[in-house]
């Protein structure tokens, strides 16, 4: 976390690992195109948590890319998630790095549970609250065998959700499961 010269809290944490992450994502061939296996995983994640939105998210220096995405309508449009129209539920696979909570999860390298983002001043001012209507978040980092945090898996809702410890354990277990799949995929490509 940093502050701007006017004394306002900047919501996006400093990410010193981003260049290493980008190199690793390129090695794996992730981060720039949708992947049906990741879409399937995001769909399963939504089913397990009963969340309307779920993502397999890879983060570079400037943006987030949802290589796996589940939405209530199954549609993805627009230039980024800020283009979401509440009435249509349209979602894109890209979002600015300063939107949402996944950049915090990647930098912290720990799961994050926000049952109601408005209860946390540090997170309540994030653009996804006003622009998209996000009220709850549950995410875990995807840390690969080299120790690089590649991105996250996460679920979000437009209503507060009592995720609690069961939600935390679920998201962490699913992140480990996806990393196993990624490692198997990498081993098969070698």
């Amino acid at each position: 976390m940093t502050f701007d010269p006017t004394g306002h809290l900047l919501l996006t944490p400093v990410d010193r690992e981003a260049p290493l992450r980008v190199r690793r994502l390129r090695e794996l061939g992730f981060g720039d195109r949708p992947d049906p296996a990741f879409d399937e995983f995001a769909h399963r994640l939504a089913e397990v948590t009963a969340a309307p939105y779920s993502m397999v998210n890879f983060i570079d220096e400037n943006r987030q890319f949802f290589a796996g995405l589940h939405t209530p309508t199954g549609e993805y449009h627009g230039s980024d998630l800020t283009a979401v129209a509440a009435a249509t539920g349209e979602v894109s696979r890209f979002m600015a790095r300063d939107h949402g909570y996944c950049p915090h999860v990647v930098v912290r390298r720990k799961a994050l549970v926000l049952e109601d983002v408005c209860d946390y001043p540090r997170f309540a001012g994030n653009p996804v609250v006003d622009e998209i209507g996000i009220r709850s978040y549950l995410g875990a980092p995807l840390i690969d065998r080299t120790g690089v945090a590649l991105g996250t898996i996460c679920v979000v809702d437009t209503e507060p959700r009592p995720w609690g410890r069961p939600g935390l354990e679920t998201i962490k277990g699913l992140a480990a499961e996806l990393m196993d799949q990624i490692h198997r995929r990498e081993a098969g490509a070698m």
Side-chain angles (χ1 to χ4, degrees), residues 33-166:
R33 63 185 176 279
D35 186 306
F38 293 150
D39 280 341
E40 186 178 312
F41 191 88
H43 179 71
R44 184 165 155 254
L45 181 58
E47 284 183 335
V48 168
T49 61
Y53 299 93
S54 61
M55 298 100 178
V56 174
N57 185 10
F58 298 119
I59 302 172
D60 67 21
E61 294 100 331
N62 303 305
R63 68 180 185 181
Q64 302 176 65
F65 175 69
F66 306 126
L69 178 61
H70 171 85
T71 68
T73 64
E75 297 179 17
Y76 324 119
H77 303 283
S79 61
D80 63 20
L81 272 180
T82 62
V84 169
T88 64
E90 296 177 345
V91 179
S92 169
R93 292 203 181 250
F94 296 96
M95 187 164 71
R97 191 176 169 280
D98 65 348
H99 284 55
Y101 310 104
C102 290
H104 295 273
V105 171
V106 167
V107 170
R108 290 169 24 125
R109 303 172 65 85
K110 292 172 40 179
L112 179 62
V113 178
L114 300 172
E115 294 182 341
D116 185 343
V117 298
C118 295
D119 289 343
Y120 303 89
R122 175 181 187 184
F123 297 116
N126 194 286
V128 297
V129 175
D130 293 331
E131 296 175 17
I132 304 172
I134 300 302
R135 286 294 300 275
S136 62
Y137 172 90
L138 178 64
L142 297 170
I143 301 174
D144 85 341
R145 64 176 177 75
T146 68
V148 174
L150 302 173
T152 67
I153 61 167
C154 70
V155 295
V156 296
D157 200 338
T158 56
E159 301 293 327
R161 295 282 300 267
W163 305 112
R165 179 150 305 277

Side-chain angles (χ1 to χ4, degrees), residues 15 17-25 59-60 106 148-151:
D15 185 359
E17 192 176 73
L20 178 61
R21 177 180 318 105
V22 169
R23 282 194 302 277
R24 184 69 178 127
L25 288 170
I59 302 172
D60 67 21
V106 167
V148 174
L150 302 173

